[in-house]
Amino acid sequence: MAEEKKAKAVKAAKLADPIKASIDKATQEMIVRAQELGIDTVFDRAENMKPCNIGMQGICCKNCSMGPCRLPLPKGGIEGEDTRKSLCGATANTIAARNFIRMVAGGAAAHSDHGRCVAEVFLSVARKESKDYQIKDTDKLLSIAPYFDVAVTVEVDGEEVDRDIDEIALEVAEKAMNEWGKAEGELYYLKRAPEALYEKWKKQGVLPRNIDREIVEIMHRTHIGVDQDYKNLIKQGTRAAIADGWGGSMLATDLQDVLFGTPYPVQSEANLGVMKEDHVNLILHGHEPVLSEMVVAAAQTPEMVEYAKSKGAKGIQLSGICCTANEILQRHGIPTAATFLQQEMAIITGACDAMVVDIQCIMQNVANVANCFHTKLITTHPIARMEQENVIHIEFDEHHAMEDATKIVKLAIDNFENRRAEVMIPRHKNTQIAGFGVESVEYHLGGSFRGSYYTLNDNIINGRIRGIAGVVGCNNARTRHNEGHIEVVKELIKNDVIVLTTGCNGIACAMEGLLTPEAASVYCGPGLAEVCETVGIPPVLHLGSCVDNSRILLAAAEVVKAGGLGKDISDLPAAGSAPEWMSEKAISIGHYFVVSGVYTVFGYTLPTSGAPVFHDYLSKELENLYGGMWDLEVDPIKHAQKMIAHIDKKRKALGIDRARERVLMDMASRQALEA
Ligand code: BF8
């Protein structure tokens, strides 16, 4: 009877229309495949469960057991005074602001706890307690040491000599660890922001004291009966968001670069088609490179490759999903298998011998999908386990990292011969060049003579490059997979705006072929195409994972430093975007972009629309305080056009709007002559 009921429920469930669900051919094929096999994916589930309209608008308070109190907007909107209130009297503004900054807390906690884990590994390396990790990039270590007030030279007999690198490492590691909980002062990295921005933060009283404190204080202030002023609440959200972008995330990026190497451009491929039927497919999914770096190293040892061959495979094909994909791509050129929304599909290929996961963005349903196949699903992190019985837990510990990683690789190899379903790997994949960063952008666009962002600035000033956009963030099953990402990015580059990408936007762009220098002549306006062709770079530069959004902040700070484009990030012809965001991390990122001076547009929705006064505060008033502001635009073309309008506004304010007209005119007349 129960079985019959279940069968009926499955039958009654609506199935996703593959074409409406995704613009990507591989994804469309795999949606069909999953439906043929009777396996539900996130796309089908989105058809059968609608989001709560009141929650979406940010006006449901469930912070005490008298609620949840829901404050729907009256039909026809609010006329006159907004009298909505919860049982305790909290207004819509208070509730929306509380919910919003709790999302900031969640996002900042996720990025920063990731950063803490890297800092712990770095400390144990500096203490010589972890034999399997080493410091790979001493130059990076030396470049960040001064921000922690750690001297890199020492005086011996009246002469300045280089300090011992191990001593520097230990001091940096201890001071970095302290950023999460120091009792006094403010975060060291705040001084990396342009001075004008730092002064704005100081004036507003939002300089973060330590990372953990700002997150804890959000939880306190949003408890029933504490902070009841949306302006004061968002101020704390601002502190925590800055502690994420210029703190936890930036520390994660820097310490990862020190430990695992600073990325430089590498060629690779993206989409499910990177999986190989005749290889052991081991997929790395999650976020922290502490795990994935070791698995990559273990899988590339001759012993493991030989072992795979002894089991009848041609080799080991590693690939990545979500931001772990971006980490192993940018440092090792490991191909990217999937964006967030495709994770179930990687298993549905029938060729995934093992999927190893750590933290963040792992759908619990991958365990159910793995159960339909031979796939071993391996959790590795003590804070992220799964209840399903088929999941294997191998706890990863930096003190015996290589041993753990080898165990994982072996498990995948041993599972190769257990494949039981017909393998169906979609044939779609594309070439990508990834691995850009502050350093490599300087190398490619900086000009060796000036050794700074001078050439980039010059091209912005002369108008070949109209402006800079950071387009980042997730997929969201409530919008057509990758459509927002790709349409926004294409519209921007068509209008000569160079795009810096991270996260799942980076993966989407890679799948679409936008991360190649050749994309410039196909998709870009004439100015950007000329720059990309001259320098040999793609018009969309992949800067890594979500914590690497800190690279975008630092690149913006470098542009300010190079001169000619104002004194603050908010002066730059620049804008930010997350067309398909879904996670709390995206809200934290969005907010630190905004309060760092960037006009930031989100797609899909913002959880503020039910509290118009608070929404207006975020989208209008914040500009007066920090120079940046939030916006929401669902239509991708309008979304990009709003960013371009903001870029043009900034060009005008800088007095460089006419230069662009001249350049494009020159180019047009040149082209006319050539014709
Ligand atoms: O870490 S993996 S879905 S949350 S964008 Fe978004 Fe993608 Fe998750 Fe940022 Ni990265």
Side-chain angles (χ1 to χ4, degrees), residues 386-411:
M386 287 180 172
E387 70 184 44
Q388 287 98 323
E389 278 174 10
N390 59 316
V391 180
I392 302 163
H393 186 74
I394 299 178
E395 196 139 315
F396 196 77
D397 185 316
E398 73 259 24
H399 298 100
H400 37 79
M402 195 59 177
E403 200 185 312
D404 296 338
T406 307
K407 207 188 282 176
I408 290 165
V409 175
K410 228 171 146 271
L411 214 96

Side-chain angles (χ1 to χ4, degrees), residues 111 287 322-323 340 360-361 473-475 503-504 546 582-583 585:
H111 289 143
H287 281 76
C322 280
C323 277
F340 169 72
Q360 300 167 24
C361 301
C474 328
N475 284 145
C504 286
C546 281
M582 61 88 199
S583 74
K585 292 183 284 175

